[in-house]
Amino acid sequence: MIPAPFAYHRPADIGEALSILTEHGDDARVVAGGHSLIPMMKLRMAMIDHLIDLKDIPGLAGISTDDGRVTIGAMTTQHDLIVHPGLATAAPLLSEAALQIADPQVRYMGTLGGNVANGDPGNDMPGVMQCLDAQFTLVGPTGERTVPARGFYEAAYMTARQDDEILTAVSFAVPKGGFAYEKQKRKIGDYATAACAAQIAMQGGTCTAASIAMTNLSDTPVWSQAAGAALVGTPCAPADLDAAVAAALADIDPTEDNRGPIAFKMHVAKIIIRRAIERAIARA
Ligand code: FAD
């Protein structure tokens, strides 16, 4: 459980980090909390010659909830998402989901940016970000660009981020209505067998907006446009929920692994998706 030798870089600003990244190309990786990357290096599943620690770079951590928009720096820890008072009011879906990641030790170190940039289908924040229709800000040698979370994930560990880009922040409009993050796992601290994020707005007994996204039920997070559409304009009666759950299930493609066979995962997903929708409606 000892990683292969590597050079450790601790740049003082983003320009220096980018130039080290550009110089070493595929032999370099940035490290944030290290709670996905370092275990992979210890297992020798990742062999990285140059690690670029982002901790000393100013301006990469912090949460703002001004002007109807939430912006969170990439180096903000998962623990910070739970304890930030403004975020608990503006987007409580985030703290509910963050509380279900691993355990306090991991959450003190693990960052939001690392969780969404990693590309692991088991990470919880990518689905949450898709549910909230977040935008990711990436900075590279040629400047800054934004990529929607719903277009960021291409396959397991494959994202729209280029090797020479650093994720600096995520942002999204303050969501309306009720929320829920439901996660089924084998034991406390585990990754999801199936999880679902829901954000649903109701007005006068009719659903006016609905966003449903799922974790670890395909090789990427899955935002189900059809599941949301099945609820909008309805009173969210049991038959409407049946339609939404069926639409969400049609959008996922789980594989068999040590969390169970496909039929079991579809069964768990059906229960988890319905619970998330029902709880979000109850809070709307
Ligand atoms: P790192 O490990 O430092 O980096 C991860 C990857 O992202 C690396 O490839 C790195 O190069 C890249 N990266 C990091 N930051 C940036 C950036 N700003 N720009 C570009 N690339 C970047 N996660 C869950 O979601 N749910 C769980 O239930 C869960 N359980 C866990 C249980 C255990 C025991 C452990 C050790 C981890 C668990 N995790 C879980 C993972 C944890 O949340 C990690 O912290 C997270 O996946 C990665 O965040 P990090 O800051 O540690 O990133």
Side-chain angles (χ1 to χ4, degrees), residues 29-37 54 74 78 100-102 106 109-111 113-115 117-118 122-124 161 165-167 183 189-191:
R29 292 281 187 290
V30 300
V31 61
H35 272 54
S36 285
L37 185 57
L54 300 179
Q78 297 153 13
Q100 297 180 64
I101 293 176
V106 171
M109 293 297 291
T111 64
N115 200 285
N118 195 26
N123 281 145
D124 289 290
R161 186 182 67 81
E165 288 181 313
I166 295 173
L167 175 78
K183 176 173 174 178
D190 193 17
Y191 289 87

Side-chain angles (χ1 to χ4, degrees), residues 1-270:
M1 298 297 276
I2 296 173
F6 59 87
Y8 177 77
H9 305 263
R10 195 141 176 160
D13 59 54
I14 197 96
E16 192 186 341
L18 285 171
S19 62
I20 301 169
L21 204 50
T22 307
E23 182 186 345
H24 297 290
D26 199 32
D27 293 332
R29 292 281 187 290
V30 300
V31 61
H35 272 54
S36 285
L37 185 57
I38 304 295
M40 296 293 267
M41 291 173 68
K42 286 183 167 179
L43 291 167
R44 308 265 175 142
M45 292 169 79
M47 308 280 268
I48 312 292
D49 293 333
H50 296 269
L51 272 192
I52 307 164
D53 196 331
L54 300 179
K55 280 196 190 67
D56 283 352
I57 299 179
L60 284 186
I63 299 172
S64 84
T65 57
D66 302 330
D67 303 325
R69 216 163 163 84
V70 176
T71 302
I72 306 174
M75 289 296 284
T76 304
T77 66
Q78 297 153 13
H79 172 76
D80 291 335
L81 301 179
I82 296 166
V83 297
H84 190 272
L87 194 61
T89 310
L93 175 62
L94 270 164
S95 55
E96 180 156 299
L99 262 171
Q100 297 180 64
I101 293 176
D103 50 47
Q105 287 94 328
V106 171
R107 300 194 296 254
Y108 281 128
M109 293 297 291
T111 64
L112 175 63
N115 200 285
V116 301
N118 195 26
D120 182 343
N123 281 145
D124 289 290
M125 284 298 159
V128 172
M129 291 297 134
Q130 291 194 338
C131 180
L132 294 169
D133 198 11
Q135 300 286 322
F136 296 164
T137 304
L138 300 167
V139 177
T142 55
E144 185 177 293
R145 66 183 180 120
T146 57
V147 180
R150 291 175 188 170
F152 187 71
Y153 299 95
E154 296 168 350
Y157 298 102
M158 305 281 288
T159 70
R161 186 182 67 81
Q162 300 297 311
D163 286 347
D164 57 1
E165 288 181 313
I166 295 173
L167 175 78
T168 55
V170 309
S171 83
F172 51 86
V174 169
K176 294 188 173 68
F179 65 94
Y181 192 70
E182 284 283 342
K183 176 173 174 178
Q184 202 272 346
K185 49 195 175 185
R186 296 172 300 183
K187 59 181 174 56
I188 292 292
D190 193 17
Y191 289 87
T193 300
C196 179
Q199 186 77 43
I200 297 175
M202 303 286 293
Q203 205 167 17
T206 300
C207 175
T208 52
S211 181
I212 315 289
M214 292 157 284
T215 298
N216 225 7
L217 289 164
S218 285
D219 67 346
T220 63
V222 175
W223 175 68
S224 176
Q225 185 169 19
L231 294 173
V232 174
T234 77
C236 291
D240 304 319
L241 267 59
D242 290 346
V245 173
L249 291 174
D251 280 345
I252 57 174
D253 185 19
T255 50
E256 178 169 346
D257 59 18
N258 58 0
R259 291 187 171 78
I262 293 170
F264 173 70
K265 291 189 175 183
M266 291 300 281
H267 173 74
V268 174
K270 187 175 178 181

